[in-house]
Amino acid sequence: MRSVRERPWVFVDLETTGTAAARERITEVAVVRVGPEGDTEEWSTLVHPEQAIAPMITAITGIDDAMVRDAPRFADIAGDLQQRLAGALFVAHNVSFDYGFVKAEFARLGQVFEAPTLCTVRLSRQLYPERSPHTLDAIISRHRLGAAMGDAARHRALGDARLIHAFLNHLERDLEPEVLDAALRRLVVEPGAPRANARPARRATPRVRWE
């Protein structure tokens, strides 16, 4: 396996109309791309989901039909997004959710998207097995990461992508390099390799990411 240190990393977060990638759609996407030398580029956009956003989803994310009315559709951003994800390790909190939605959106366009992935839920469990839960809110509180959101908001794509990036930066400072590297070697999943099923952990919204 190519060393994870030699790849760019993309910290990805999505907001969606629901939890099922087969029938729900993306409403917002953010990518924080970090190169092997540490150079960082942020990008985010609202996305027109081509379906209504339920009020219960708006209550959590703050994204409503009016906000996405003039936003680009996924087909309009697909090329740009693909370039931003190209050649990188796809990192997300409960990666099966975000990766699954991105794959489904590209599939609707007749395109195949694949990338090596890393789940920060599983990484947190691996490195801190005595601490629970491993939701993003718990990790923010446990490691004091709230300031990493900057001017973005929790439950918005850019704010959450920044938090995931901050968590990895925290691990770099908190752990011996060989401990973190060993966990990464165990948990990075290459395209085509079997993906471990994540354990369900209820969250308080219909946009729950099953962890």
Side-chain angles (χ1 to χ4, degrees):
M1 182 178 73
R2 181 185 175 192
S3 169
V4 294
R5 303 291 187 178
E6 298 173 358
R7 314 175 196 244
W9 291 35
V10 285
F11 299 88
V12 181
D13 191 79
L14 310 175
E15 304 304 326
T16 67
T17 60
T19 60
R23 63 175 181 272
E24 307 288 356
R25 304 296 298 274
I26 293 172
T27 60
E28 189 175 42
V29 57
V31 177
V32 177
R33 185 179 176 101
V34 182
E37 302 303 319
D39 50 305
T40 302
E41 181 181 0
E42 296 184 343
W43 174 81
S44 66
T45 182
L46 290 166
V47 181
H48 193 305
E50 303 182 65
Q51 61 181 249
I53 301 172
M56 63 183 66
I57 299 297
T58 298
I60 302 303
T61 67
I63 300 172
D64 59 19
D65 291 332
M67 288 177 62
V68 298
R69 184 171 296 122
D70 298 321
R73 287 162 169 75
F74 188 84
D76 301 321
I77 67 162
D80 195 3
L81 178 60
Q82 192 168 46
Q83 288 183 358
R84 294 176 186 279
L85 300 178
L89 176 66
F90 188 110
V91 186
H93 200 69
N94 190 10
V95 73
S96 61
F97 179 91
D98 301 87
Y99 185 69
F101 263 89
V102 171
K103 284 181 66 71
E105 291 283 11
F106 276 111
R108 291 185 182 99
L109 302 177
Q111 301 176 32
V112 175
F113 172 75
E114 290 188 328
T117 61
L118 173 65
C119 179
T120 51
V121 176
R122 297 187 66 211
L123 185 62
S124 180
R125 287 185 182 136
Q126 179 82 48
L127 294 171
Y128 304 102
E130 75 286 358
R131 301 182 184 180
S132 185
H134 297 275
T135 62
L136 191 53
D137 283 329
I139 287 172
I140 294 166
S141 175
R142 186 178 302 138
H143 302 294
R144 299 180 175 88
L145 302 178
M149 287 186 290
D151 58 355
R154 179 75 175 93
H155 295 298
R156 292 295 300 268
L158 182 57
D160 288 358
R162 286 173 173 171
L163 287 167
I164 302 163
H165 179 210
F167 177 49
L168 265 293
N169 284 339
H170 170 79
L171 296 180
E172 292 272 8
R173 296 188 299 268
D174 193 46
L175 302 171
E176 294 296 328
E178 58 271 19
V179 173
L180 179 56
D181 286 347
L184 294 175
R185 285 193 297 270
R186 283 192 292 269
L187 296 178
V188 169
V189 179
E190 297 292 338
R195 295 180 181 272
N197 292 326
R199 287 186 292 169
R202 290 297 301 271
R203 289 172 62 174
T205 95
R207 185 194 171 272
V208 169
R209 297 183 183 192
W210 293 103
E211 298 179 356

PDB file of all heavy atoms in Angstrom, residues 38-58:
ATOM      1  N   GLY A  38       1.921  19.718   3.568  1.00  0.00           N
ATOM      2  CA  GLY A  38       1.099  20.483   4.484  1.00  0.00           C
ATOM      3  C   GLY A  38       0.350  21.648   3.879  1.00  0.00           C
ATOM      4  O   GLY A  38      -0.385  22.348   4.592  1.00  0.00           O
ATOM      5  N   ASP A  39       0.505  21.891   2.578  1.00  0.00           N
ATOM      6  CA  ASP A  39      -0.243  22.965   1.933  1.00  0.00           C
ATOM      7  C   ASP A  39      -1.729  22.617   1.945  1.00  0.00           C
ATOM      8  O   ASP A  39      -2.121  21.490   1.672  1.00  0.00           O
ATOM      9  CB  ASP A  39       0.246  23.172   0.500  1.00  0.00           C
ATOM     10  CG  ASP A  39       0.323  21.869  -0.291  1.00  0.00           C
ATOM     11  OD1 ASP A  39       1.005  20.939   0.198  1.00  0.00           O
ATOM     12  OD2 ASP A  39      -0.307  21.776  -1.368  1.00  0.00           O
ATOM     13  N   THR A  40      -2.559  23.605   2.291  1.00  0.00           N
ATOM     14  CA  THR A  40      -3.985  23.365   2.526  1.00  0.00           C
ATOM     15  C   THR A  40      -4.833  24.258   1.638  1.00  0.00           C
ATOM     16  O   THR A  40      -4.550  25.446   1.471  1.00  0.00           O
ATOM     17  CB  THR A  40      -4.329  23.640   4.004  1.00  0.00           C
ATOM     18  OG1 THR A  40      -3.524  22.813   4.837  1.00  0.00           O
ATOM     19  CG2 THR A  40      -5.794  23.361   4.287  1.00  0.00           C
ATOM     20  N   GLU A  41      -5.893  23.657   1.078  1.00  0.00           N
ATOM     21  CA  GLU A  41      -6.849  24.398   0.257  1.00  0.00           C
ATOM     22  C   GLU A  41      -8.258  23.995   0.666  1.00  0.00           C
ATOM     23  O   GLU A  41      -8.566  22.812   0.774  1.00  0.00           O
ATOM     24  CB  GLU A  41      -6.630  24.087  -1.228  1.00  0.00           C
ATOM     25  CG  GLU A  41      -7.566  24.840  -2.160  1.00  0.00           C
ATOM     26  CD  GLU A  41      -7.351  24.493  -3.627  1.00  0.00           C
ATOM     27  OE1 GLU A  41      -6.456  23.658  -3.906  1.00  0.00           O
ATOM     28  OE2 GLU A  41      -8.066  25.048  -4.482  1.00  0.00           O
ATOM     29  N   GLU A  42      -9.102  24.982   0.909  1.00  0.00           N
ATOM     30  CA  GLU A  42     -10.488  24.738   1.295  1.00  0.00           C
ATOM     31  C   GLU A  42     -11.429  25.101   0.157  1.00  0.00           C
ATOM     32  O   GLU A  42     -11.202  26.062  -0.578  1.00  0.00           O
ATOM     33  CB  GLU A  42     -10.864  25.577   2.520  1.00  0.00           C
ATOM     34  CG  GLU A  42     -10.100  25.228   3.773  1.00  0.00           C
ATOM     35  CD  GLU A  42     -10.565  26.018   4.981  1.00  0.00           C
ATOM     36  OE1 GLU A  42     -11.243  27.067   4.799  1.00  0.00           O
ATOM     37  OE2 GLU A  42     -10.261  25.609   6.113  1.00  0.00           O
ATOM     38  N   TRP A  43     -12.521  24.335   0.073  1.00  0.00           N
ATOM     39  CA  TRP A  43     -13.542  24.606  -0.953  1.00  0.00           C
ATOM     40  C   TRP A  43     -14.875  24.086  -0.450  1.00  0.00           C
ATOM     41  O   TRP A  43     -14.940  23.011   0.164  1.00  0.00           O
ATOM     42  CB  TRP A  43     -13.162  23.892  -2.250  1.00  0.00           C
ATOM     43  CG  TRP A  43     -14.183  23.956  -3.352  1.00  0.00           C
ATOM     44  CD1 TRP A  43     -14.392  24.981  -4.228  1.00  0.00           C
ATOM     45  CD2 TRP A  43     -15.121  22.930  -3.719  1.00  0.00           C
ATOM     46  NE1 TRP A  43     -15.393  24.659  -5.114  1.00  0.00           N
ATOM     47  CE2 TRP A  43     -15.857  23.405  -4.818  1.00  0.00           C
ATOM     48  CE3 TRP A  43     -15.390  21.657  -3.212  1.00  0.00           C
ATOM     49  CZ2 TRP A  43     -16.853  22.655  -5.422  1.00  0.00           C
ATOM     50  CZ3 TRP A  43     -16.393  20.899  -3.812  1.00  0.00           C
ATOM     51  CH2 TRP A  43     -17.114  21.397  -4.904  1.00  0.00           C
ATOM     52  N   SER A  44     -15.921  24.844  -0.674  1.00  0.00           N
ATOM     53  CA  SER A  44     -17.257  24.361  -0.323  1.00  0.00           C
ATOM     54  C   SER A  44     -18.289  25.028  -1.216  1.00  0.00           C
ATOM     55  O   SER A  44     -18.065  26.127  -1.741  1.00  0.00           O
ATOM     56  CB  SER A  44     -17.587  24.631   1.153  1.00  0.00           C
ATOM     57  OG  SER A  44     -17.691  26.022   1.400  1.00  0.00           O
ATOM     58  N   THR A  45     -19.405  24.356  -1.381  1.00  0.00           N
ATOM     59  CA  THR A  45     -20.501  24.915  -2.160  1.00  0.00           C
ATOM     60  C   THR A  45     -21.818  24.285  -1.744  1.00  0.00           C
ATOM     61  O   THR A  45     -21.871  23.102  -1.374  1.00  0.00           O
ATOM     62  CB  THR A  45     -20.278  24.683  -3.677  1.00  0.00           C
ATOM     63  OG1 THR A  45     -21.357  25.282  -4.419  1.00  0.00           O
ATOM     64  CG2 THR A  45     -20.218  23.203  -4.025  1.00  0.00           C
ATOM     65  N   LEU A  46     -22.866  25.079  -1.793  1.00  0.00           N
ATOM     66  CA  LEU A  46     -24.209  24.515  -1.721  1.00  0.00           C
ATOM     67  C   LEU A  46     -24.477  23.773  -3.028  1.00  0.00           C
ATOM     68  O   LEU A  46     -23.881  24.081  -4.061  1.00  0.00           O
ATOM     69  CB  LEU A  46     -25.242  25.614  -1.515  1.00  0.00           C
ATOM     70  CG  LEU A  46     -25.239  26.289  -0.144  1.00  0.00           C
ATOM     71  CD1 LEU A  46     -26.068  27.571  -0.177  1.00  0.00           C
ATOM     72  CD2 LEU A  46     -25.779  25.343   0.926  1.00  0.00           C
ATOM     73  N   VAL A  47     -25.382  22.807  -2.967  1.00  0.00           N
ATOM     74  CA  VAL A  47     -25.729  22.007  -4.143  1.00  0.00           C
ATOM     75  C   VAL A  47     -27.247  21.899  -4.222  1.00  0.00           C
ATOM     76  O   VAL A  47     -27.904  21.577  -3.219  1.00  0.00           O
ATOM     77  CB  VAL A  47     -25.117  20.584  -4.064  1.00  0.00           C
ATOM     78  CG1 VAL A  47     -25.461  19.781  -5.310  1.00  0.00           C
ATOM     79  CG2 VAL A  47     -23.605  20.655  -3.869  1.00  0.00           C
ATOM     80  N   HIS A  48     -27.804  22.174  -5.383  1.00  0.00           N
ATOM     81  CA  HIS A  48     -29.245  21.990  -5.591  1.00  0.00           C
ATOM     82  C   HIS A  48     -29.538  20.488  -5.603  1.00  0.00           C
ATOM     83  O   HIS A  48     -29.031  19.761  -6.455  1.00  0.00           O
ATOM     84  CB  HIS A  48     -29.673  22.610  -6.912  1.00  0.00           C
ATOM     85  CG  HIS A  48     -31.152  22.746  -7.065  1.00  0.00           C
ATOM     86  ND1 HIS A  48     -32.025  21.697  -6.936  1.00  0.00           N
ATOM     87  CD2 HIS A  48     -31.927  23.839  -7.326  1.00  0.00           C
ATOM     88  CE1 HIS A  48     -33.253  22.116  -7.131  1.00  0.00           C
ATOM     89  NE2 HIS A  48     -33.221  23.415  -7.358  1.00  0.00           N
ATOM     90  N   PRO A  49     -30.354  19.992  -4.665  1.00  0.00           N
ATOM     91  CA  PRO A  49     -30.555  18.539  -4.568  1.00  0.00           C
ATOM     92  C   PRO A  49     -31.594  17.981  -5.540  1.00  0.00           C
ATOM     93  O   PRO A  49     -31.792  16.764  -5.572  1.00  0.00           O
ATOM     94  CB  PRO A  49     -31.015  18.357  -3.126  1.00  0.00           C
ATOM     95  CG  PRO A  49     -31.753  19.618  -2.823  1.00  0.00           C
ATOM     96  CD  PRO A  49     -31.011  20.712  -3.560  1.00  0.00           C
ATOM     97  N   GLU A  50     -32.291  18.857  -6.260  1.00  0.00           N
ATOM     98  CA  GLU A  50     -33.327  18.428  -7.198  1.00  0.00           C
ATOM     99  C   GLU A  50     -34.460  17.684  -6.499  1.00  0.00           C
ATOM    100  O   GLU A  50     -35.152  16.858  -7.097  1.00  0.00           O
ATOM    101  CB  GLU A  50     -32.728  17.583  -8.335  1.00  0.00           C
ATOM    102  CG  GLU A  50     -31.630  18.329  -9.082  1.00  0.00           C
ATOM    103  CD  GLU A  50     -31.060  17.549 -10.237  1.00  0.00           C
ATOM    104  OE1 GLU A  50     -31.812  17.291 -11.205  1.00  0.00           O
ATOM    105  OE2 GLU A  50     -29.874  17.188 -10.167  1.00  0.00           O
ATOM    106  N   GLN A  51     -34.629  17.961  -5.219  1.00  0.00           N
ATOM    107  CA  GLN A  51     -35.764  17.471  -4.442  1.00  0.00           C
ATOM    108  C   GLN A  51     -35.917  18.386  -3.234  1.00  0.00           C
ATOM    109  O   GLN A  51     -34.998  19.153  -2.900  1.00  0.00           O
ATOM    110  CB  GLN A  51     -35.573  16.022  -4.000  1.00  0.00           C
ATOM    111  CG  GLN A  51     -34.372  15.777  -3.118  1.00  0.00           C
ATOM    112  CD  GLN A  51     -34.223  14.312  -2.733  1.00  0.00           C
ATOM    113  OE1 GLN A  51     -34.403  13.935  -1.584  1.00  0.00           O
ATOM    114  NE2 GLN A  51     -33.889  13.473  -3.717  1.00  0.00           N
ATOM    115  N   ALA A  52     -37.069  18.313  -2.597  1.00  0.00           N
ATOM    116  CA  ALA A  52     -37.346  19.184  -1.456  1.00  0.00           C
ATOM    117  C   ALA A  52     -36.503  18.782  -0.247  1.00  0.00           C
ATOM    118  O   ALA A  52     -36.162  17.610  -0.063  1.00  0.00           O
ATOM    119  CB  ALA A  52     -38.827  19.135  -1.106  1.00  0.00           C
ATOM    120  N   ILE A  53     -36.188  19.774   0.573  1.00  0.00           N
ATOM    121  CA  ILE A  53     -35.487  19.538   1.828  1.00  0.00           C
ATOM    122  C   ILE A  53     -36.517  19.547   2.947  1.00  0.00           C
ATOM    123  O   ILE A  53     -37.261  20.520   3.122  1.00  0.00           O
ATOM    124  CB  ILE A  53     -34.423  20.619   2.086  1.00  0.00           C
ATOM    125  CG1 ILE A  53     -33.398  20.641   0.947  1.00  0.00           C
ATOM    126  CG2 ILE A  53     -33.731  20.389   3.425  1.00  0.00           C
ATOM    127  CD1 ILE A  53     -32.415  21.795   1.022  1.00  0.00           C
ATOM    128  N   ALA A  54     -36.586  18.476   3.707  1.00  0.00           N
ATOM    129  CA  ALA A  54     -37.578  18.361   4.776  1.00  0.00           C
ATOM    130  C   ALA A  54     -37.295  19.374   5.885  1.00  0.00           C
ATOM    131  O   ALA A  54     -36.147  19.655   6.204  1.00  0.00           O
ATOM    132  CB  ALA A  54     -37.571  16.948   5.351  1.00  0.00           C
ATOM    133  N   PRO A  55     -38.348  19.929   6.492  1.00  0.00           N
ATOM    134  CA  PRO A  55     -38.150  20.891   7.584  1.00  0.00           C
ATOM    135  C   PRO A  55     -37.295  20.348   8.717  1.00  0.00           C
ATOM    136  O   PRO A  55     -36.518  21.092   9.326  1.00  0.00           O
ATOM    137  CB  PRO A  55     -39.582  21.177   8.057  1.00  0.00           C
ATOM    138  CG  PRO A  55     -40.434  20.919   6.851  1.00  0.00           C
ATOM    139  CD  PRO A  55     -39.778  19.777   6.135  1.00  0.00           C
ATOM    140  N   MET A  56     -37.396  19.065   9.009  1.00  0.00           N
ATOM    141  CA  MET A  56     -36.594  18.495  10.094  1.00  0.00           C
ATOM    142  C   MET A  56     -35.102  18.514   9.764  1.00  0.00           C
ATOM    143  O   MET A  56     -34.259  18.609  10.659  1.00  0.00           O
ATOM    144  CB  MET A  56     -37.062  17.071  10.410  1.00  0.00           C
ATOM    145  CG  MET A  56     -36.913  16.075   9.299  1.00  0.00           C
ATOM    146  SD  MET A  56     -37.581  14.434   9.743  1.00  0.00           S
ATOM    147  CE  MET A  56     -39.322  14.808   9.896  1.00  0.00           C
ATOM    148  N   ILE A  57     -34.755  18.442   8.480  1.00  0.00           N
ATOM    149  CA  ILE A  57     -33.362  18.553   8.068  1.00  0.00           C
ATOM    150  C   ILE A  57     -32.907  20.001   8.174  1.00  0.00           C
ATOM    151  O   ILE A  57     -31.822  20.301   8.684  1.00  0.00           O
ATOM    152  CB  ILE A  57     -33.192  18.032   6.634  1.00  0.00           C
ATOM    153  CG1 ILE A  57     -33.595  16.559   6.533  1.00  0.00           C
ATOM    154  CG2 ILE A  57     -31.754  18.238   6.159  1.00  0.00           C
ATOM    155  CD1 ILE A  57     -32.745  15.614   7.353  1.00  0.00           C
ATOM    156  N   THR A  58     -33.747  20.916   7.713  1.00  0.00           N
ATOM    157  CA  THR A  58     -33.430  22.347   7.810  1.00  0.00           C
ATOM    158  C   THR A  58     -33.210  22.769   9.252  1.00  0.00           C
ATOM    159  O   THR A  58     -32.342  23.596   9.547  1.00  0.00           O
ATOM    160  CB  THR A  58     -34.558  23.182   7.184  1.00  0.00           C
ATOM    161  OG1 THR A  58     -34.669  22.852   5.791  1.00  0.00           O
ATOM    162  CG2 THR A  58     -34.291  24.673   7.320  1.00  0.00           C
TER     163      THR A  58
END
